[in-house]
Each structure stands twice: as C-alpha cells, then as structure tokens.
Amino acid sequence: MNRLKELRKAKGLTQKQVGNDLSIPQNTYSNYERGDRKPPLVVLKILADYFDVSVDYLIGHEKTPNHVE
C-alpha cells in the first residue's frame, strides 16, 4: 500500500514510530506498506484515523485524501 508510505513520510515518521503509536509490530506495518500483507478492516480503520484520511483513500478508491472530520 504505497499510500501508507506516502502518508508516513509526509508526517516525517519511521515505520517503527507508526508501529509503536498503533501497537503494530514494525515488521507487520512494513508488510502493509510493501503490499506483502493486507491489513484487516479494523486495522485499515485505525490507519485511516491515524493518518486522518478515509479508508477509501488508503485502498485506492479515492484519488485525494478526504480528511476525516
């Protein structure tokens, strides 16, 4: 999921920081970014909230990040 990487880098965070913030192992988060593993829906929601975007944006159904109000 390239969008995860873009969002993380835009915030100036490392994979380890995101993993720690969300209680996700860094290796698991790295797999999500590379697309080697797909996050379950509950984790997608957590990631969307964390990066302040919609789940649809994360999965590529929207071209621009619709910020969550």
Side-chain angles (χ1 to χ4, degrees):
M1 298 188 87
N2 246 354
R3 291 192 172 173
L4 285 177
K5 185 175 183 177
E6 291 169 9
L7 291 165
R8 176 180 59 80
K9 289 192 171 246
K11 286 192 167 203
L13 299 170
T14 65
Q15 290 179 344
K16 184 174 180 133
Q17 288 171 310
V18 174
N20 286 341
D21 289 348
L22 302 178
S23 299
I24 298 171
Q26 183 271 328
N27 187 42
T28 300
Y29 180 78
S30 176
N31 285 333
Y32 294 157
E33 273 194 12
R34 287 194 316 268
D36 292 343
R37 189 170 172 191
K38 294 183 182 189
L41 184 57
V42 67
V43 174
L44 276 175
K45 173 83 170 92
I46 291 167
L47 289 166
D49 289 345
Y50 181 79
F51 287 115
D52 195 27
V53 298
S54 68
V55 171
D56 281 341
Y57 178 75
L58 287 181
I59 62 174
H61 284 251
E62 292 179 355
K63 294 183 183 199
T64 58
N66 288 339
H67 293 283
V68 178
E69 301 287 328

Coordinates of all heavy atoms in Angstrom, one line a residue:
M1 N 0.8 -1.2 0.0 CA 0.0 0.0 0.0 C 0.9 1.2 0.0 O 1.3 1.7 1.0 CB -0.9 0.0 1.2 CG -1.9 -1.2 1.2 SD -3.1 -1.0 2.5 CE -4.3 0.0 1.7
N2 N 1.2 1.7 -1.2 CA 2.1 2.8 -1.3 C 1.6 4.1 -0.6 O 2.3 4.9 -0.2 CB 2.3 3.1 -2.8 CG 3.7 2.9 -3.2 OD1 4.6 2.6 -2.4 ND2 4.0 3.0 -4.5
R3 N 0.3 4.2 -0.5 CA -0.3 5.4 0.1 C 0.1 5.5 1.6 O 0.3 6.6 2.1 CB -1.8 5.5 0.0 CG -2.1 5.7 -1.5 CD -3.5 6.1 -1.7 NE -3.7 6.5 -3.1 CZ -4.9 6.8 -3.6 NH1 -6.0 6.7 -2.9 NH2 -5.0 7.2 -4.9
L4 N 0.2 4.3 2.2 CA 0.7 4.3 3.6 C 2.1 4.9 3.7 O 2.4 5.7 4.6 CB 0.7 2.9 4.2 CG -0.6 2.3 4.6 CD1 -0.5 0.9 5.0 CD2 -1.3 3.1 5.6
K5 N 2.9 4.5 2.8 CA 4.3 5.0 2.8 C 4.3 6.5 2.6 O 5.0 7.3 3.3 CB 5.2 4.3 1.8 CG 6.6 4.7 1.8 CD 7.4 3.8 0.8 CE 8.9 4.1 0.9 NZ 9.6 3.3 0.0
E6 N 3.5 7.0 1.6 CA 3.5 8.4 1.3 C 3.0 9.2 2.5 O 3.5 10.3 2.8 CB 2.5 8.7 0.1 CG 3.1 8.2 -1.2 CD 2.0 8.2 -2.3 OE1 0.9 8.7 -2.1 OE2 2.3 7.6 -3.4
L7 N 1.9 8.7 3.1 CA 1.4 9.4 4.3 C 2.4 9.4 5.5 O 2.5 10.5 6.1 CB 0.1 8.8 4.7 CG -1.1 8.9 3.8 CD1 -2.2 7.9 4.1 CD2 -1.6 10.4 3.8
R8 N 3.0 8.3 5.7 CA 4.0 8.2 6.8 C 5.2 9.2 6.5 O 5.5 10.0 7.4 CB 4.5 6.8 6.9 CG 5.6 6.6 7.9 CD 6.1 5.2 8.0 NE 6.7 4.7 6.8 CZ 7.9 4.9 6.3 NH1 8.7 5.8 6.9 NH2 8.3 4.4 5.2
K9 N 5.7 9.2 5.3 CA 6.8 10.1 5.0 C 6.4 11.6 5.1 O 7.2 12.4 5.5 CB 7.4 9.8 3.6 CG 8.2 8.4 3.7 CD 9.0 8.2 2.4 CE 9.9 7.0 2.6 NZ 11.3 7.4 2.6
A10 N 5.2 11.9 4.7 CA 4.7 13.3 4.7 C 4.7 13.8 6.2 O 4.8 14.9 6.4 CB 3.3 13.4 4.1
K11 N 4.5 12.8 7.1 CA 4.5 13.2 8.5 C 5.8 13.1 9.2 O 6.0 13.4 10.3 CB 3.5 12.3 9.3 CG 2.0 12.6 9.1 CD 1.2 11.9 10.1 CE -0.2 12.4 10.1 NZ -0.9 12.2 11.4
G12 N 6.8 12.7 8.4 CA 8.2 12.6 8.9 C 8.4 11.5 9.9 O 9.2 11.6 10.8
L13 N 7.6 10.4 9.7 CA 7.7 9.3 10.7 C 8.4 8.1 10.1 O 8.4 7.9 8.9 CB 6.3 8.9 11.1 CG 5.4 9.9 11.7 CD1 3.9 9.4 11.8 CD2 5.9 10.3 13.1
T14 N 8.9 7.3 11.0 CA 9.5 6.0 10.6 C 8.4 4.9 10.8 O 7.4 5.1 11.4 CB 10.7 5.6 11.5 OG1 10.3 5.4 12.8 CG2 11.8 6.7 11.5
Q15 N 8.7 3.8 10.1 CA 7.8 2.6 10.3 C 7.7 2.2 11.8 O 6.6 1.9 12.3 CB 8.3 1.5 9.5 CG 8.1 1.7 8.0 CD 8.6 0.5 7.2 OE1 9.3 -0.4 7.7 NE2 8.2 0.5 5.9
K16 N 8.8 2.3 12.4 CA 8.8 1.9 13.9 C 8.0 2.8 14.7 O 7.2 2.4 15.6 CB 10.3 1.9 14.4 CG 10.4 1.4 15.8 CD 11.8 1.3 16.2 CE 11.8 0.8 17.7 NZ 12.8 -0.2 17.9
Q17 N 8.0 4.1 14.4 CA 7.2 5.1 15.1 C 5.7 4.8 14.9 O 4.9 4.8 15.9 CB 7.5 6.5 14.7 CG 8.9 7.0 15.2 CD 9.2 8.4 14.6 OE1 9.2 8.5 13.4 NE2 9.6 9.3 15.4
V18 N 5.3 4.6 13.7 CA 3.9 4.3 13.4 C 3.5 3.0 14.1 O 2.5 3.0 14.7 CB 3.7 4.2 11.9 CG1 2.2 3.7 11.6 CG2 3.9 5.5 11.2
G19 N 4.3 2.0 14.0 CA 4.0 0.7 14.7 C 3.9 0.9 16.2 O 2.9 0.4 16.8
N20 N 4.8 1.7 16.8 CA 4.7 1.9 18.2 C 3.4 2.7 18.6 O 2.7 2.4 19.5 CB 5.9 2.7 18.7 CG 7.2 1.8 18.8 OD1 7.1 0.6 18.8 ND2 8.3 2.4 18.8
D21 N 3.1 3.7 17.8 CA 1.9 4.5 18.0 C 0.7 3.7 18.0 O -0.3 4.0 18.7 CB 1.8 5.7 17.1 CG 2.9 6.8 17.3 OD1 3.5 6.8 18.3 OD2 3.0 7.6 16.4
L22 N 0.6 2.7 17.1 CA -0.6 1.9 16.8 C -0.5 0.5 17.4 O -1.4 -0.3 17.2 CB -0.8 1.8 15.3 CG -1.0 3.2 14.6 CD1 -1.2 2.9 13.1 CD2 -2.1 4.0 15.2
S23 N 0.5 0.3 18.2 CA 0.7 -1.1 18.8 C 0.7 -2.2 17.7 O 0.1 -3.2 17.9 CB -0.3 -1.3 19.9 OG -0.2 -0.4 20.9
I24 N 1.4 -1.9 16.6 CA 1.5 -2.9 15.5 C 3.0 -3.1 15.4 O 3.8 -2.2 15.3 CB 1.0 -2.3 14.2 CG1 -0.5 -2.0 14.2 CG2 1.3 -3.2 13.0 CD1 -1.0 -1.2 13.0
P25 N 3.4 -4.4 15.3 CA 4.9 -4.6 15.1 C 5.4 -3.9 13.8 O 4.7 -3.9 12.8 CB 4.9 -6.2 15.0 CG 3.7 -6.7 15.7 CD 2.7 -5.6 15.4
Q26 N 6.6 -3.4 13.9 CA 7.2 -2.7 12.8 C 7.2 -3.6 11.5 O 6.9 -3.1 10.4 CB 8.6 -2.2 13.1 CG 9.2 -1.4 12.1 CD 10.0 -2.2 11.1 OE1 10.6 -3.2 11.4 NE2 10.1 -1.8 9.8
N27 N 7.5 -4.8 11.7 CA 7.6 -5.8 10.6 C 6.2 -5.9 9.9 O 6.1 -5.9 8.7 CB 8.1 -7.1 11.1 CG 8.3 -8.1 9.9 OD1 8.9 -7.7 8.9 ND2 8.0 -9.3 10.1
T28 N 5.2 -6.0 10.7 CA 3.8 -6.1 10.2 C 3.4 -4.8 9.4 O 2.9 -4.9 8.3 CB 2.8 -6.3 11.3 OG1 3.1 -7.5 12.0 CG2 1.4 -6.4 10.8
Y29 N 3.7 -3.7 10.0 CA 3.4 -2.4 9.3 C 4.2 -2.3 8.0 O 3.7 -1.9 7.0 CB 3.7 -1.2 10.2 CG 3.4 0.1 9.5 CD1 2.1 0.5 9.4 CD2 4.5 0.8 8.9 CE1 1.9 1.7 8.6 CE2 4.2 1.9 8.2 CZ 2.9 2.4 8.0 OH 2.6 3.5 7.3
S30 N 5.5 -2.7 8.0 CA 6.3 -2.7 6.8 C 5.7 -3.6 5.7 O 5.7 -3.2 4.6 CB 7.7 -3.2 7.2 OG 8.5 -3.3 6.0
N31 N 5.2 -4.7 6.1 CA 4.5 -5.6 5.2 C 3.2 -5.0 4.6 O 2.9 -5.1 3.4 CB 4.1 -6.9 5.8 CG 5.3 -7.9 6.1 OD1 6.2 -7.8 5.3 ND2 5.2 -8.7 7.1
Y32 N 2.5 -4.2 5.4 CA 1.4 -3.4 4.8 C 1.8 -2.4 3.8 O 1.2 -2.3 2.7 CB 0.6 -2.7 6.0 CG 0.0 -3.5 7.0 CD1 -0.3 -3.0 8.3 CD2 -0.4 -4.8 6.7 CE1 -0.9 -3.8 9.2 CE2 -1.0 -5.6 7.7 CZ -1.3 -5.1 9.0 OH -1.9 -5.8 9.9
E33 N 2.9 -1.7 4.1 CA 3.4 -0.7 3.2 C 3.8 -1.3 1.8 O 3.6 -0.8 0.8 CB 4.6 0.1 3.8 CG 4.2 1.3 4.6 CD 5.3 2.2 4.9 OE1 6.4 2.1 4.3 OE2 5.1 3.1 5.8
R34 N 4.5 -2.4 1.9 CA 5.0 -3.1 0.7 C 3.9 -3.8 0.0 O 4.1 -4.2 -1.2 CB 6.1 -4.1 1.1 CG 7.4 -3.4 1.5 CD 8.6 -4.4 1.5 NE 8.3 -5.7 2.2 CZ 8.5 -5.9 3.4 NH1 9.0 -5.0 4.2 NH2 8.1 -7.1 3.9
G35 N 2.8 -4.1 0.6 CA 1.7 -4.8 0.0 C 1.9 -6.3 0.1 O 1.2 -7.1 -0.6
D36 N 2.9 -6.7 0.9 CA 3.1 -8.2 1.1 C 2.0 -8.7 2.0 O 1.8 -10.0 2.0 CB 4.4 -8.4 1.8 CG 5.6 -8.1 0.9 OD1 5.4 -8.0 -0.3 OD2 6.7 -7.9 1.4
R37 N 1.3 -7.9 2.7 CA 0.2 -8.3 3.6 C -0.8 -7.3 3.6 O -0.5 -6.1 3.6 CB 0.8 -8.5 5.0 CG -0.1 -9.1 6.0 CD 0.7 -9.4 7.3 NE -0.2 -9.9 8.3 CZ 0.1 -10.0 9.5 NH1 1.3 -9.8 10.0 NH2 -0.9 -10.4 10.4
K38 N -2.1 -7.7 3.6 CA -3.2 -6.7 3.6 C -3.7 -6.6 5.0 O -4.0 -7.5 5.7 CB -4.3 -7.2 2.7 CG -3.9 -7.2 1.2 CD -5.0 -7.5 0.3 CE -4.4 -7.6 -1.1 NZ -5.4 -7.7 -2.1
P39 N -3.9 -5.3 5.5 CA -4.4 -5.1 6.8 C -5.9 -5.5 6.9 O -6.6 -5.2 5.9 CB -4.2 -3.6 7.1 CG -4.0 -3.0 5.8 CD -3.5 -4.1 4.8
P40 N -6.3 -6.1 8.0 CA -7.7 -6.4 8.2 C -8.5 -5.0 8.3 O -7.9 -4.0 8.5 CB -7.8 -7.2 9.4 CG -6.5 -7.1 10.1 CD -5.5 -6.6 9.1
L41 N -9.8 -5.1 8.1 CA -10.6 -3.9 8.1 C -10.5 -3.1 9.3 O -10.4 -1.8 9.3 CB -12.1 -4.3 7.9 CG -13.1 -3.1 7.7 CD1 -12.7 -2.2 6.6 CD2 -14.5 -3.7 7.5
V42 N -10.4 -3.7 10.5 CA -10.3 -3.0 11.7 C -9.0 -2.2 11.7 O -8.9 -1.1 12.2 CB -10.4 -3.9 12.9 CG1 -9.3 -4.9 13.0 CG2 -10.6 -3.1 14.2
V43 N -7.9 -2.8 11.2 CA -6.6 -2.1 11.1 C -6.6 -1.0 10.1 O -6.1 0.1 10.3 CB -5.4 -3.1 10.9 CG1 -4.1 -2.4 10.7 CG2 -5.3 -4.1 12.0
L44 N -7.3 -1.2 9.0 CA -7.5 -0.1 8.0 C -8.1 1.1 8.6 O -7.7 2.2 8.4 CB -8.3 -0.6 6.8 CG -7.6 -1.3 5.7 CD1 -8.6 -1.9 4.7 CD2 -6.6 -0.5 5.0
K45 N -9.2 0.9 9.4 CA -9.9 2.0 10.1 C -8.9 2.7 11.0 O -8.9 3.9 11.1 CB -11.1 1.4 10.8 CG -11.8 2.4 11.7 CD -12.8 3.3 10.9 CE -13.7 4.1 11.8 NZ -13.2 5.4 12.1
I46 N -8.1 2.0 11.8 CA -7.1 2.6 12.7 C -6.1 3.4 11.9 O -5.8 4.5 12.3 CB -6.5 1.5 13.6 CG1 -7.5 0.9 14.5 CG2 -5.3 2.0 14.3 CD1 -7.0 -0.4 15.2
L47 N -5.6 2.8 10.8 CA -4.7 3.6 10.0 C -5.3 4.8 9.4 O -4.6 5.9 9.4 CB -4.1 2.6 8.9 CG -3.2 1.5 9.3 CD1 -3.0 0.5 8.2 CD2 -1.9 2.1 9.8
A48 N -6.5 4.7 8.9 CA -7.2 5.9 8.3 C -7.3 7.0 9.4 O -7.1 8.2 9.1 CB -8.5 5.5 7.8
D49 N -7.7 6.6 10.6 CA -7.9 7.6 11.7 C -6.5 8.2 12.0 O -6.4 9.4 12.2 CB -8.5 7.0 12.9 CG -10.0 6.6 12.7 OD1 -10.6 7.2 11.8 OD2 -10.5 5.9 13.6
Y50 N -5.5 7.4 12.1 CA -4.2 7.9 12.4 C -3.6 8.9 11.4 O -3.1 9.9 11.8 CB -3.2 6.6 12.5 CG -1.8 7.0 12.9 CD1 -1.5 7.2 14.2 CD2 -0.8 7.0 12.0 CE1 -0.2 7.5 14.6 CE2 0.5 7.3 12.3 CZ 0.8 7.6 13.6 OH 2.1 7.9 14.0
F51 N -3.8 8.6 10.1 CA -3.3 9.5 9.1 C -4.4 10.5 8.7 O -4.1 11.3 7.8 CB -2.9 8.7 7.9 CG -1.6 7.9 8.1 CD1 -1.6 6.5 8.1 CD2 -0.4 8.6 8.3 CE1 -0.4 5.8 8.3 CE2 0.8 7.9 8.6 CZ 0.8 6.5 8.6
D52 N -5.5 10.5 9.3 CA -6.6 11.5 9.0 C -7.0 11.5 7.6 O -7.1 12.5 6.9 CB -6.1 12.9 9.4 CG -7.3 13.9 9.5 OD1 -8.4 13.4 9.8 OD2 -7.1 15.1 9.3
V53 N -7.3 10.3 7.1 CA -7.8 10.1 5.7 C -8.9 9.1 5.7 O -9.1 8.4 6.8 CB -6.7 9.6 4.7 CG1 -5.5 10.6 4.6 CG2 -6.1 8.2 5.1
S54 N -9.6 8.9 4.6 CA -10.6 7.8 4.6 C -10.0 6.5 4.3 O -8.9 6.4 3.7 CB -11.6 8.2 3.5 OG -11.1 8.1 2.2
V55 N -10.7 5.4 4.6 CA -10.3 4.1 4.3 C -10.3 3.9 2.8 O -9.4 3.3 2.2 CB -11.3 3.0 4.9 CG1 -11.0 1.6 4.4 CG2 -11.1 3.0 6.5
D56 N -11.3 4.5 2.1 CA -11.3 4.5 0.6 C -10.0 5.1 0.0 O -9.6 4.5 -1.0 CB -12.5 5.3 0.1 CG -13.8 4.5 0.2 OD1 -13.7 3.2 0.3 OD2 -14.9 5.1 0.1
Y57 N -9.5 6.1 0.6 CA -8.2 6.7 0.1 C -7.1 5.6 0.3 O -6.3 5.4 -0.6 CB -7.9 8.0 0.8 CG -6.6 8.5 0.3 CD1 -6.5 9.1 -0.9 CD2 -5.4 8.4 1.1 CE1 -5.2 9.6 -1.4 CE2 -4.2 8.9 0.7 CZ -4.1 9.5 -0.6 OH -2.9 10.0 -1.0
L58 N -7.1 5.0 1.4 CA -6.0 4.1 1.7 C -6.0 2.9 0.7 O -5.0 2.4 0.3 CB -6.1 3.5 3.1 CG -5.7 4.4 4.2 CD1 -5.8 3.7 5.6 CD2 -4.3 4.9 4.1
I59 N -7.2 2.4 0.3 CA -7.3 1.3 -0.5 C -7.3 1.6 -2.0 O -7.5 0.8 -2.9 CB -8.5 0.4 -0.2 CG1 -9.8 1.1 -0.3 CG2 -8.3 -0.2 1.2 CD1 -11.0 0.2 -0.1
G60 N -7.2 3.0 -2.3 CA -7.1 3.4 -3.7 C -8.4 3.7 -4.4 O -8.4 3.9 -5.6
H61 N -9.5 3.8 -3.7 CA -10.8 4.1 -4.3 C -11.1 5.6 -4.4 O -12.0 6.0 -5.1 CB -12.0 3.4 -3.5 CG -12.1 2.0 -3.7 ND1 -13.1 1.4 -4.4 CD2 -11.3 0.9 -3.4 CE1 -12.9 0.1 -4.5 NE2 -11.8 -0.2 -3.8
E62 N -10.2 6.4 -3.8 CA -10.3 7.8 -3.9 C -8.9 8.3 -4.3 O -7.9 7.8 -3.9 CB -10.8 8.5 -2.6 CG -12.2 8.2 -2.3 CD -12.6 8.8 -1.0 OE1 -11.8 9.4 -0.3 OE2 -13.8 8.6 -0.6
K63 N -8.9 9.4 -5.2 CA -7.7 9.9 -5.6 C -7.1 10.9 -4.7 O -5.9 11.2 -4.7 CB -7.8 10.6 -7.0 CG -8.2 9.5 -8.1 CD -8.3 10.1 -9.4 CE -8.7 9.0 -10.4 NZ -8.4 9.3 -11.7
T64 N -7.9 11.6 -3.9 CA -7.4 12.6 -2.9 C -7.8 12.1 -1.5 O -8.9 11.6 -1.3 CB -8.0 14.0 -3.2 OG1 -9.4 13.9 -3.2 CG2 -7.5 14.5 -4.6
P65 N -7.0 12.5 -0.6 CA -7.3 12.1 0.8 C -8.5 12.9 1.3 O -8.3 14.1 1.4 CB -6.0 12.3 1.6 CG -5.3 13.3 0.8 CD -5.7 13.1 -0.6
N66 N -9.6 12.3 1.6 CA -10.7 13.0 2.2 C -10.5 13.0 3.7 O -10.6 11.9 4.3 CB -12.0 12.3 1.9 CG -12.4 12.6 0.4 OD1 -11.9 13.5 -0.2 ND2 -13.3 11.7 -0.1
H67 N -10.2 14.1 4.3 CA -9.9 14.1 5.7 C -11.1 13.8 6.5 O -12.2 14.3 6.2 CB -9.3 15.5 6.1 CG -7.9 15.7 5.5 ND1 -6.8 15.0 5.9 CD2 -7.5 16.4 4.4 CE1 -5.8 15.4 5.2 NE2 -6.2 16.2 4.2
V68 N -10.9 13.1 7.5 CA -12.0 12.7 8.4 C -12.3 13.9 9.3 O -11.4 14.5 9.8 CB -11.6 11.4 9.3 CG1 -12.7 11.1 10.2 CG2 -11.2 10.3 8.4
E69 N -13.5 14.2 9.5 CA -13.9 15.3 10.3 C -14.1 14.8 11.7 O -14.5 13.8 12.1 CB -15.3 15.9 9.8 CG -15.2 16.4 8.4 CD -14.4 17.7 8.3 OE1 -14.5 18.5 9.2 OE2 -13.8 17.8 7.2

